[in-house]
Amino acid sequence: MKALFEKIELGDHNSLRVMHVDLPYFDAPWHFHPEYELTYIARSHGNRFVGDHVEPFDAGDLVLLGPGLPHFWRNDDDYYQPDSDRRAESIVVQFSQSLGDTLLPQLPETQPLMALLNRARYGVRFGKSKIDEVTPALGTLLTCQGLERLLRLLFLLQQLASDTDAVMLASDNYELKASEAETERMKRVLDFMLAHFREEIRVDDMASVAGMAPAAFCRYFRKRTRKSFIEYLNELRISHARKLLVQSDLSISQVGLECGFNNISHFHRQFKLHNGTTPLKYQSLQHNK
């Protein structure tokens, strides 16, 4: 499945648009567009794809994406069940590429904003403290119009530009103009992992999905994700385990098995490696919050 081009209508008299999205699940496909996009997740969880990067997202997630960067948010499986009462809610701000290419570069005061917009070419995820600080301003963008909305956006971007905890998402060597075949290959690999991480997955299986020899696939995967296939797979499994420990009545052993860990001791070791505590202590801490 290749990334689809999305045409965004800002209107004749607007350089940005702000949307409040409230759906049973996020339904936008793997896509890209010429506009910048700032997306705040008010309610929902799942996995976020940005370029060659994928990681779990939850409520409170905030990312800035640059023009032409493929992306989509995929909710967890429970959102797609016929009897699900879950909702996927977000605030999405999309603004013209000309803001970063033409207008702001002419103003010396906007240098910090330009640095942020340049990083956005690879996607930027912001830290929790900064997100808590700017969340009220995001809500305000929904209620104002015209020049006031634009000025509030610029001030919001100025605040985000000072976030020392912000993290770049797509890898440094990610090719923003990758061929359709290359984009489709990586999407196919990540989709397969999301669909089958609860099962045993061998490198040979992944190499077959990618249409590559096993050794070539391992090099390809590490180059694009900065992690080995096994490291990435374990992160997906542990992310799912955290959710099950909080949201289900399964025992610790059952959670491990449900997440693809056939060896419970290995599950405990991996969980502690990623979370700094055991599954039981993590569960207890979350329930006592």
Side-chain angles (χ1 to χ4, degrees):
M1 178 179 178
K2 66 182 180 182
L4 302 176
F5 173 80
E6 179 185 7
K7 181 173 176 57
I8 294 174
E9 297 289 349
L10 296 178
D12 295 336
H13 304 289
N14 296 290
S15 57
L16 71 153
R17 71 171 181 174
V18 185
M19 300 176 292
H20 176 231
V21 178
D22 189 356
L23 299 166
Y25 51 84
F26 293 132
D27 58 0
W30 175 243
H31 68 285
F32 65 96
H33 42 73
E35 292 76 17
Y36 290 92
E37 179 174 302
L38 183 67
T39 297
Y40 171 73
I41 305 298
R43 183 170 41 149
S44 185
H45 56 79
N47 285 277
R48 173 183 9 86
F49 292 75
V50 174
D52 60 358
H53 183 271
V54 61
E55 70 178 356
F57 74 86
D58 214 324
D61 188 63
L62 178 64
V63 299
L64 177 64
L65 308 174
L69 181 60
H71 58 277
F72 88 115
W73 279 253
R74 183 189 186 277
N75 289 114
D76 286 340
D77 292 343
D78 51 345
Y79 280 78
Y80 304 96
Q81 301 306 312
D83 58 347
S84 173
D85 60 354
R86 294 194 177 278
R87 303 294 297 180
E89 184 180 0
S90 65
I91 297 175
V92 180
V93 183
Q94 294 167 327
F95 54 97
S96 173
Q97 183 176 357
S98 63
L99 197 66
D101 289 355
T102 306
L103 301 178
L104 294 181
Q106 300 181 52
L107 307 173
E109 294 87 352
T110 64
Q111 286 186 3
L113 274 66
M114 287 307 305
L116 174 63
L117 294 181
N118 286 333
R119 294 180 68 194
R121 293 182 303 144
Y122 301 94
V124 178
R125 169 172 51 80
F126 298 100
K128 185 180 184 306
S129 296
K130 184 60 67 174
I131 294 172
D132 291 342
E133 178 185 333
V134 304
T135 298
L138 278 165
T140 302
L141 288 176
L142 289 166
T143 61
C144 58
Q145 296 291 334
L147 182 59
E148 180 186 356
R149 175 178 275 183
L150 175 60
L151 293 175
R152 286 183 181 275
L153 172 64
L154 293 177
F155 182 67
L156 173 61
L157 292 174
Q158 180 185 13
Q159 291 177 284
L160 293 174
S162 66
D163 184 11
T164 56
D165 295 324
V167 176
M168 191 172 73
L169 298 178
S171 56
D172 291 336
N173 57 4
Y174 178 67
E175 179 54 62
L176 294 179
K177 296 181 180 178
S179 68
E180 289 185 358
E182 182 57 34
T183 300
E184 182 179 357
R185 188 207 302 261
M186 195 62 194
K187 177 68 165 51
R188 196 165 63 239
V189 165
L190 296 175
D191 273 349
F192 185 88
M193 290 183 71
L194 277 173
H196 298 282
F197 71 86
R198 300 172 184 84
E199 310 159 17
E200 180 182 358
I201 306 179
R202 300 174 302 164
V203 171
D204 288 354
D205 299 327
M206 297 306 307
S208 178
V209 170
M212 306 172 77
F217 167 75
C218 289
R219 292 192 297 271
Y220 166 86
F221 193 87
R222 182 179 286 279
K223 180 179 179 181
R224 283 155 182 80
T225 66
R226 291 167 283 179
K227 297 173 183 140
S228 72
F229 155 66
I230 294 299
E231 289 171 335
Y232 202 99
L233 178 61
N234 282 333
E235 284 190 7
L236 280 179
R237 288 172 167 170
I238 293 302
S239 172
H240 188 56
R242 286 195 295 266
K243 293 183 177 111
L244 290 181
L245 287 170
V246 175
Q247 299 170 4
S248 76
D249 296 324
L250 297 176
S251 68
I252 302 298
S253 297
Q254 288 173 319
V255 167
L257 292 171
E258 175 65 21
C259 295
F261 292 99
N262 295 324
N263 184 307
I264 301 306
S265 295
H266 181 54
F267 169 54
H268 278 260
R269 286 195 298 272
Q270 286 296 319
F271 194 92
K272 190 168 185 179
L273 176 66
H274 287 86
N275 300 284
T277 188
T278 65
L280 184 60
K281 288 183 179 178
Y282 177 87
Q283 185 181 55
S284 177
L285 286 171
Q286 295 302 310
H287 286 166
N288 289 332
K289 281 187 177 180

